[in-house]
Amino acid sequence: MPDAQVTEIYTDGACSGNPGPGGWGTHIEYSDGQVHELGGRNIATTNNRMEMQAAIAALDYLNQEATSTGNSQSVILHTDSEYLKNGITKWIKGWKRKGWKNSKGKPVLNKDLWEQLDELSAALNDEKLTVDWRYVRGHTGNPGNERCDEIARAYSHDQPISLSQYSAKANSSKQSSKRRRSSDADENASQPDLPLTATNTAKSNASQTIDTETTYKSVKLSTNAPVVTTGTPDEPSATPALRFDETAPIESASDMASKNETGPDTGRIERLQNALKTLQVTDELAKQGYLITSAELADLMDVNASAVTSRGDYWAWRNWTVSRIRREGNQILWQLERIET
C-alpha cells in the first residue's frame, strides 16, 4: 500500500473543430511529489465531451485507488470548464429529477457521459472520498492546467507525448535513499533518484469511438515549479483614477430632475431590448454553427478584440462555450455552442 495519496487533479479537453477530432488530458498529483497522467482521443467529438471524458478518467482512477488502498480524503479537481463544474455540482440533480430533461424540457446533451460521472461520484462517496470541484481559468500560467492542455492538444492532433506514471516502487526507492543519506550524510548526498520507466499502450473497444494510445514515463514533480498568475485585459489589476473635467457644463437641479423623469427608465428598457437582440443573434449563430471572426465576437460581447483573443482557445461566455476553430489569413475564426442548463 503506497504511503502517498492523491491530493490534486487537473483535467482539460481540446477539439480541432466542434465537432471534430478531440483529445483529453488528466494530471494527477500525489502527496509525495509524483504525478500520474492520462490521455486519450476521439476522432469525432466536441470540446464539452472531451472536458467530461478527462474528468471521467480522473474519477475512475480515484475509485481504483480508493478500492486498492483504502485511502479516504478530499481531493481537489481543477477544471477550466464551467459547463463541467456547474453540471456535476449544480445542474445534474435537477436533470435527474426531471428524467434527464433540462429547464426547457429538452433532453440533456451528453447524457451518457453525465451518467458515467454521476455513477463514479456515487462510488467515491461510498468509499468516503469526496471531490472538491474548482474552476480554474485556462491559459493563465497554472502549471497543472497548462500541462493538461498540452496533453489534450497532442491527442487531438494524434501526436505522441510522454506521460508521467505514479510508481510505488519509485517512492519506496526514494524513501530508502533518504534513510541512507540520513545515516551517512557524506555518501552520495547529491545523487538523484533514478527514474523507472514503464510503457502501457491501450486501445478502446472497436465499437466505441475513443481511440486511446497512452505512453507513460515515470518522473518526479518538481516542488520548485513556479506558479504564474496573470491578469487579463478585461480584469485589470488596478483601477484608474477618475478625473474631474473642469470644462464640462454644470447641470442645474431642474435639468437633472427633468432627465430623471424620462431618461433612466427609457434607457434601461432600451438596454434590455438591445441585450435581448444580442442574445438572440448569438443563439442563432450557435444553432447554425456559423464561424465568426474575433472582431465579430468582440462586437457581440461588447469588448475589445484583444479581450477575446487573450482568453485562450476555449472558454465560456454567458450561455455559450466559445471555441477557437482555425485561422484564415490574419483572421481567427470562432464557434459558439449553447450550454444546456
Side-chain angles (χ1 to χ4, degrees):
M1 181 182 298
D3 297 327
Q5 295 186 355
V6 175
T7 56
E8 296 190 59
I9 298 175
Y10 290 84
T11 65
D12 200 9
C15 195
S16 300
N18 201 14
W24 56 267
T26 303
H27 175 90
I28 303 165
E29 299 182 358
Y30 278 82
S31 57
D32 66 351
Q34 289 195 72
V35 300
H36 188 83
E37 296 174 329
L38 305 168
R41 75 186 304 266
N42 191 305
I43 59 175
T45 187
T46 65
N47 276 302
N48 284 339
R49 290 186 67 84
M50 290 295 91
E51 295 281 359
M52 296 171 70
Q53 189 64 58
I56 288 172
L59 297 192
D60 184 55
Y61 184 84
L62 279 181
N63 269 297
Q64 294 179 37
E65 282 284 284
T67 302
S68 62
T69 66
N71 291 339
S72 60
Q73 61 181 43
S74 177
V75 176
I76 300 172
L77 192 151
H78 304 270
T79 173
D80 60 9
S81 170
E82 292 182 283
Y83 171 72
L84 170 61
K85 178 183 178 296
N86 290 333
I88 195 64
T89 62
K90 298 178 183 179
W91 303 333
I92 196 167
K93 293 179 181 179
W95 290 339
K96 291 166 62 179
R97 188 171 57 250
K98 298 174 184 176
W100 290 101
K101 299 291 179 62
N102 61 26
S103 58
K104 295 182 179 179
K106 297 180 180 180
V108 172
L109 294 178
N110 305 314
K111 175 189 172 185
D112 56 330
L113 300 186
W114 286 121
E115 287 180 324
Q116 290 185 53
L117 283 169
D118 189 44
E119 291 174 3
L120 289 167
S121 296
L124 286 172
N125 288 333
D126 292 341
E127 296 291 340
K128 303 296 189 294
L129 198 156
T130 60
V131 177
D132 181 5
W133 295 83
R134 297 188 186 181
Y135 173 75
V136 58
R137 192 181 182 91
H139 306 284
T140 56
N142 183 293
N145 177 259
E146 295 291 346
R147 175 56 179 166
C148 280
D149 180 70
E150 180 184 10
I151 296 171
R153 288 184 177 283
Y155 275 96
S156 70
H157 295 293
D158 200 16
Q159 297 174 345
I161 184 170
S162 295
L163 303 181
S164 303
Q165 182 183 41
Y166 178 84
S167 172
K169 186 175 181 180
N171 182 50
S172 176
S173 174
K174 177 181 177 182
Q175 298 298 328
S176 299
S177 177
K178 286 183 177 179
R179 287 194 294 270
R180 286 197 302 271
R181 287 197 295 270
S182 63
S183 62
D184 190 354
D186 294 330
E187 182 180 354
N188 297 328
S190 62
Q191 294 297 321
D193 298 331
L194 294 176
L196 301 177
T197 60
T199 300
N200 178 16
T201 301
K203 281 199 177 278
S204 64
N205 192 289
S207 63
Q208 300 183 7
T209 58
I210 294 179
D211 178 16
T212 305
E213 295 183 356
T214 308
T215 303
Y216 301 106
K217 183 179 180 182
S218 175
V219 298
K220 294 189 297 180
L221 178 66
S222 171
T223 57
N224 297 320
V227 178
V228 182
T229 56
T230 60
T232 60
D234 52 335
E235 294 180 3
S237 58
T239 303
L242 296 177
R243 294 183 179 180
F244 179 70
D245 187 355
E246 297 179 352
T247 64
I250 299 176
E251 294 180 328
S252 65
S254 60
D255 291 335
M256 289 187 287
S258 177
K259 279 189 176 182
N260 288 336
E261 289 178 1
T262 59
D265 289 341
T266 303
R268 280 196 293 269
I269 292 173
E270 289 179 351
R271 286 194 296 272
L272 286 173
Q273 289 174 336
N274 291 334
L276 179 59
K277 291 178 181 178
T278 298
L279 296 176
Q280 289 173 336
V281 168
T282 308
D283 215 23
E284 185 65 17
L285 289 169
K287 183 179 179 180
Q288 299 298 332
Y290 293 129
L291 301 182
I292 59 176
T293 66
S294 298
E296 292 165 341
L297 182 56
D299 288 340
L300 276 178
M301 299 172 62
D302 194 21
V303 297
N304 292 327
S306 60
V308 170
T309 55
S310 66
R311 288 172 179 248
D313 295 344
Y314 178 68
W315 36 277
W317 176 64
R318 294 204 174 197
N319 296 75
W320 299 271
T321 54
V322 184
S323 307
R324 174 172 170 164
I325 302 302
R326 64 177 182 270
R327 176 183 287 275
E328 288 186 359
N330 61 349
Q331 295 279 8
I332 297 175
L333 298 181
W334 305 82
Q335 190 172 50
L336 299 156
E337 181 182 2
R338 181 66 182 265
I339 299 174
E340 296 292 344
T341 59

